[in-house]
Amino acid sequence: MDLGIAGKWALVGGASKGLGLGCARALAHERVNVVMVARGQDALDAAAAELKAELNGQAEVIAVAADITTPDGRAAVFAVRRDFDIVVTNAGGPPTGSFRDWDRAAWIKAIDANMLTPIELIKAMLDGMLARGFGRIVNITSSAVKAPIDILGLSNGARSGLTGFIAGLARNPEIAAKGVTVNNLLPGKFDTDRLNATLQGAADKSGKPLDEVRSAHAAQIPARRFGTPAEFGAICAFLCSQQAAYLTGQNILPDGGAYPGTY
Ligand code: NAP
């Protein structure tokens, strides 16, 4: 299926690896020009170079090493380009822990990264999208928004705040009637460095080998495996497509069937 977005410009956060890279790759293969952001220059440059080699000149790939959660980082991105048709908001998730560990500073950091940063990015880009009559905003959040994960309380809280805000924003007729859709993509367990770090923490705590912990977690998923960044990216690209123009304000949950509810 031709997604009808060739030639558009996308900003993808957290794009040097994992889910962000999966989204950048899927969009670029639809001939969308992508600006990829991550903090670590070397990994970002390597990912961008690999993607460029795959594309053979079919789309532009620009790497910007910046911390997207800071005003300076966002300014560095906007210095390169400001008019984006597509934005995939994404950065690292908050650390695991217990509610007694999290002081005000930890909460502010989580809220800043996983709630206010997407809102700031949307605010900066929305008017341009509305003026051009096309926009696709995809926020990478977490399955924790639907089914909270005890050790990820900072994520449960901060991302739920974003989800509530997006629910109202997407349904504003000034946005929904002007060709701009806003959706959240809620990863279940996807095979990335982030998941491995979380599972390594569980392995260390239990004294079991990482492989055993990985297998035990995968066994709890009806699909009996973790998702791949490529699968995640393909869903993201579809949400950004012309065909998805009537899909807005939704929380899409790719999780191999892990969420046990009917709705
Ligand atoms: P990952 O493999 O660790 O990749 C994270 C990416 O984000 C890297 O490119 C990282 O590069 C970049 N990044 C982190 N902080 C950043 C910042 N402040 N500014 C710009 N870039 C930043 O993680 P992932 O698994 O793809 O996860 C992506 C998001 O989905 C996270 O918020 C995670 O919590 C959430 N999530 C993941 C899963 C899963 O199963 N994988 C499940 C639920 C939710 P640098 O470190 O170099 O900046």
Side-chain angles (χ1 to χ4, degrees):
M1 190 186 345
D2 177 359
L3 299 185
I5 47 177
K8 303 279 190 204
W9 276 90
L11 171 63
V12 184
S16 66
K17 51 187 179 172
L19 304 180
L21 178 56
C23 294
R25 174 169 274 127
L27 288 166
H29 280 276
E30 289 298 320
R31 287 174 289 135
V32 171
N33 305 305
V34 288
V35 173
M36 303 166 67
V37 185
R39 293 164 304 178
Q41 181 100 53
D42 292 350
L44 181 65
D45 286 348
E50 195 179 315
L51 192 48
K52 275 185 200 169
E54 290 169 19
L55 293 170
N56 211 7
Q58 290 193 85
E60 283 195 51
V61 176
I62 299 173
V64 181
D67 183 341
I68 199 80
T69 67
T70 65
D72 284 353
R74 292 190 286 275
V77 173
F78 293 136
V80 171
R81 188 178 180 94
R82 204 173 177 100
D83 291 341
F84 289 97
D85 310 294
I86 293 167
V87 56
V88 180
T89 74
N90 178 39
T96 57
S98 151
F99 75 94
R100 287 192 178 83
D101 306 337
W102 302 320
D103 57 11
R104 181 176 166 77
W107 273 108
I108 296 295
K109 196 168 177 212
I111 290 168
D112 214 11
N114 297 109
M115 178 180 173
L116 299 181
T117 292
I119 292 171
E120 287 292 338
L121 288 170
I122 293 168
K123 206 165 91 183
M125 279 177 258
L126 193 53
D127 285 340
M129 292 176 174
L130 294 173
R132 291 186 297 276
F134 179 92
R136 297 287 183 265
I137 298 164
V138 177
N139 304 297
I140 300 182
T141 65
S142 173
S143 62
V145 169
K146 290 221 26 145
I149 302 166
D150 58 352
I151 56 168
L152 283 171
L154 291 172
S155 173
N156 302 337
R159 296 188 201 275
S160 293
L162 176 66
T163 305
F165 169 75
I166 293 297
L169 183 80
R171 290 167 176 84
N172 181 335
E174 283 177 30
I175 294 166
K178 293 280 165 60
V180 177
T181 68
V182 196
N183 291 290
N184 303 317
L185 200 38
L186 286 56
K189 289 198 171 84
F190 280 81
D191 209 353
T192 67
D193 286 2
R194 161 89 179 173
L195 180 69
N196 263 324
T198 309
L199 297 183
Q200 184 66 60
D204 293 345
K205 209 168 161 187
S206 64
K208 292 180 180 157
L210 178 60
D211 276 357
E212 198 178 309
V213 172
R214 278 178 60 90
S215 302
H217 277 257
Q220 286 165 17
I221 302 168
R224 299 287 186 260
R225 65 176 179 86
F226 302 133
T228 67
E231 289 172 319
F232 191 87
I235 299 167
C236 177
F238 177 74
L239 289 176
C240 298
S241 70
Q242 296 287 356
Q243 288 89 338
Y246 205 51
L247 181 64
T248 195
Q250 300 304 307
N251 289 287
I252 313 294
L253 180 62
D255 70 348
Y259 177 69
T262 305
Y263 301 107

